[in-house]
Amino acid sequence: MKRVLFTILLLLPLVGFGQEANYDESKVPEFTLPDLLTLNNGQKVKNAKQWMELRRPEILEIFTTEMFGGRPEKPEGLHFKQIGQDEEVYGGLGIRRRIQVCLDNEEKHTFEVLIHFPKNHKRPCPIFIGLNFKDKNDETIALESGRRWPYELILNEGFAVATATRNSIEPDVRPEESKGDGVRAWYEQMYPGKYVWSAISAWSWGISRIADYVETAKELDASRMIVIGHSRLGKTALWTGANDLRFAMVVSNNSGCCGAAITRRAFGENFGIIGRSFPHWFVPNFYKYNDSNFPVDQNGLAALTAPRPLYIASASQDLWADPKGEWLCAKSVQSVYDLFGKKGLESSECIKPGERDDSGAVGYKIRIGEHNVYPEDWIAYMKFAKRNLKIK
Ligand code: GTR
């Protein structure tokens, strides 16, 4: 009985409470992607300066008001406490540090960050920063070592990596289940009605607070911070890079609908399904839209990373996230990267499972297998980072 219930629960998002996901390529509608380089007033963006000063803010505004919501500035009382350090982990390869990010002077609102960095680093380490799927107050905070967080591998390549649980910043629960213990409820108490923001915005805001810590740590290279995320946290990674230009590179791993997948393909998860399943990921305006009428498509979100390196990755069995739509997204940010003279994808159609197209400033790959992050994914991201961020 338990197992049947569990299976039904697992399948619920797939059927979207009655609204079906399309998996038939022949049913993908004809569509034209909204032009990233046409300003709201109809004029064309001609150079990088106009992109940065005129069009980029317009697109950022669309995703802010219509999808994820805005983000407060960093809080006044923000400070950090080191609450633990192991001087030798992984046979002397790394140092493991625990930081408490205190969001207020009274330390009523805090979350914990786990940082690994190479022990024998010669200069500040480039660092991957991403949230994880562990539960709040889990003793083993983020010790998801092994597959998703292959610390040994990362340390061996000379990178540091910082992570925190998403639930410790903002619980990943529907509004009716909320206990009011996330940063959104706290801001609402302080400034009633001022911020309309989703859990995804709140998570991205939390990642920026980790970046604030990195700026204070001499072992870490704040000019080479890479935001990384898988799935819902891949959406979050894109949104973080869009809002916080301190991040030098963005990695979206299997982020799918409202992440890197082109919405207008209406393949796999779609606006209707995601909006019903995860109302806390979006602002109320999101519900005005269907798959064909959002003012820009997700290549607009991805293009907010430009000219910084951007890696979009899919998995062949992860049709829910629409690999082909993610490839199209990576491909169709090219007009923006062109303005900066940056190379994008080489492929002219979606590459085959197991292949990579990542020799430029935009990378795409599709791993054979399911929705997840594996060491082989990290290997590709680190190689891409080393080349693009000139890491020796
Ligand atoms: C699914 C959701 C996806 C993706 C995924 C995850 O249920 O429909 O958009 O975000 O969760 O985060 O694992």
Side-chain angles (χ1 to χ4, degrees):
M1 186 58 197
K2 244 188 174 167
R3 177 171 278 183
V4 174
L5 248 178
F6 184 66
T7 314
I8 294 175
L9 277 178
L10 263 183
L11 290 175
L12 265 183
L14 283 178
V15 292
F17 309 108
Q19 190 176 357
E20 293 219 14
N22 171 44
Y23 290 111
D24 181 348
E25 200 59 49
S26 72
K27 293 201 180 120
V28 169
E30 295 241 334
F31 62 87
T32 313
L33 286 176
D35 184 14
L36 295 181
L37 300 186
T38 304
L39 289 160
N40 290 343
N41 67 11
Q43 283 179 355
K44 271 268 185 194
V45 166
K46 296 202 188 72
N47 53 46
K49 187 166 186 281
Q50 290 177 352
W51 166 262
M52 288 310 276
E53 288 174 9
L54 303 174
R55 183 57 175 156
R56 188 182 192 281
E58 285 183 356
I59 297 181
L60 186 61
E61 178 71 8
I62 293 171
F63 284 97
T64 301
T65 61
E66 312 301 291
M67 194 175 274
F68 298 128
R71 308 178 346 148
E73 293 296 304
K74 81 167 132 183
E76 263 177 36
L78 180 73
H79 60 282
F80 309 99
K81 278 187 175 170
Q82 185 168 316
I83 51 176
Q85 177 142 307
D86 293 325
E87 295 298 338
E88 273 196 9
V89 291
Y90 302 109
L93 193 60
I95 294 177
R96 175 188 294 148
R97 179 178 293 172
R98 287 167 62 215
I99 292 293
Q100 191 171 33
V101 176
C102 304
L103 299 168
D104 55 346
N105 286 320
E106 300 76 32
E107 301 178 1
K108 278 197 191 144
H109 302 272
T110 65
F111 69 92
E112 197 175 313
V113 183
L114 187 73
I115 305 174
H116 286 81
F117 55 96
K119 189 168 169 66
N120 294 319
H121 60 279
K122 291 188 199 71
R123 55 182 95 79
C125 309
I127 179 166
F128 283 91
I129 307 179
L131 301 183
N132 66 70
F133 285 86
K134 283 278 186 180
D135 286 329
K136 192 173 177 175
N137 295 333
D138 187 332
E139 284 273 288
T140 60
I141 175 177
L143 285 175
E144 287 181 322
S145 63
R147 300 210 299 188
R148 278 201 178 164
W149 300 92
Y151 289 129
E152 251 179 288
L153 178 75
I154 299 169
L155 293 169
N156 245 323
E157 292 296 325
F159 288 89
V161 56
T163 185
T165 78
R166 74 199 191 295
N167 284 334
S168 64
I169 298 165
E170 177 68 33
D172 191 2
V173 295
R174 298 170 64 94
E176 64 271 21
E177 289 154 23
S178 171
K179 300 198 191 85
D181 50 355
V183 294
R184 288 189 301 164
W186 175 48
Y187 267 84
E188 185 55 28
Q189 251 173 28
M190 291 192 291
Y191 311 101
K194 182 163 179 196
Y195 296 101
V196 181
W197 50 326
S198 66
I200 287 185
S201 256
W203 296 332
S204 80
W205 178 89
I207 297 174
S208 289
R209 304 294 68 85
I210 301 177
D212 295 336
Y213 170 73
V214 170
E215 290 186 319
T216 70
K218 63 177 188 324
E219 301 89 346
L220 307 173
D221 184 353
S223 72
R224 291 187 174 84
M225 297 191 283
I226 302 160
V227 59
I228 184 168
H230 168 61
S231 205
R232 68 198 64 185
L233 300 175
K235 308 181 211 297
T236 307
L238 286 163
W239 187 230
T240 309
N243 280 284
D244 192 335
L245 297 174
R246 291 175 298 174
F247 286 95
M249 172 175 145
V250 175
V251 181
S252 149
N253 190 89
N254 307 180
S255 63
C257 185
C258 297
I262 293 295
T263 308
R264 280 166 175 74
R265 278 179 40 80
F267 188 99
E269 188 173 30
N270 58 40
F271 269 21
I273 299 175
I274 201 169
R276 283 174 216 218
S277 315
F278 304 101
H280 54 296
W281 293 358
F282 305 102
V283 293
N285 277 346
F286 180 67
Y287 295 85
K288 298 193 297 208
Y289 300 102
N290 60 40
D291 293 328
S292 60
N293 62 2
F294 199 73
V296 280
D297 212 298
Q298 294 306 113
N299 57 333
L301 175 62
L304 296 175
T305 296
R308 298 164 292 167
L310 166 68
Y311 209 123
I312 292 177
S314 309
S316 62
Q317 292 162 10
D318 187 17
L319 298 183
W320 183 242
D322 187 15
K324 202 167 170 187
E326 296 192 310
W327 173 84
L328 181 59
C329 178
K331 183 72 185 172
S332 56
V333 294
Q334 188 61 51
S335 58
V336 178
Y337 279 80
D338 277 344
L339 297 173
F340 296 89
K342 298 265 179 184
K343 183 179 160 213
L345 300 193
E346 283 176 346
S347 47
S348 51
E349 53 185 65
C350 189
I351 55 177
K352 294 199 189 64
E355 291 182 354
R356 302 198 320 247
D357 178 352
D358 58 4
S359 61
V362 181
Y364 175 81
K365 75 182 192 70
I366 172 164
R367 173 174 42 73
I368 297 174
E370 83 280 13
H371 183 71
N372 214 332
V373 201
Y374 287 123
E376 65 178 280
D377 301 317
W378 280 94
I379 290 171
Y381 307 148
M382 290 191 286
K383 200 169 165 212
F384 185 78
K386 281 187 178 175
R387 180 173 51 73
N388 274 293
L389 303 182
K390 302 187 172 37
I391 299 165
K392 297 261 159 49

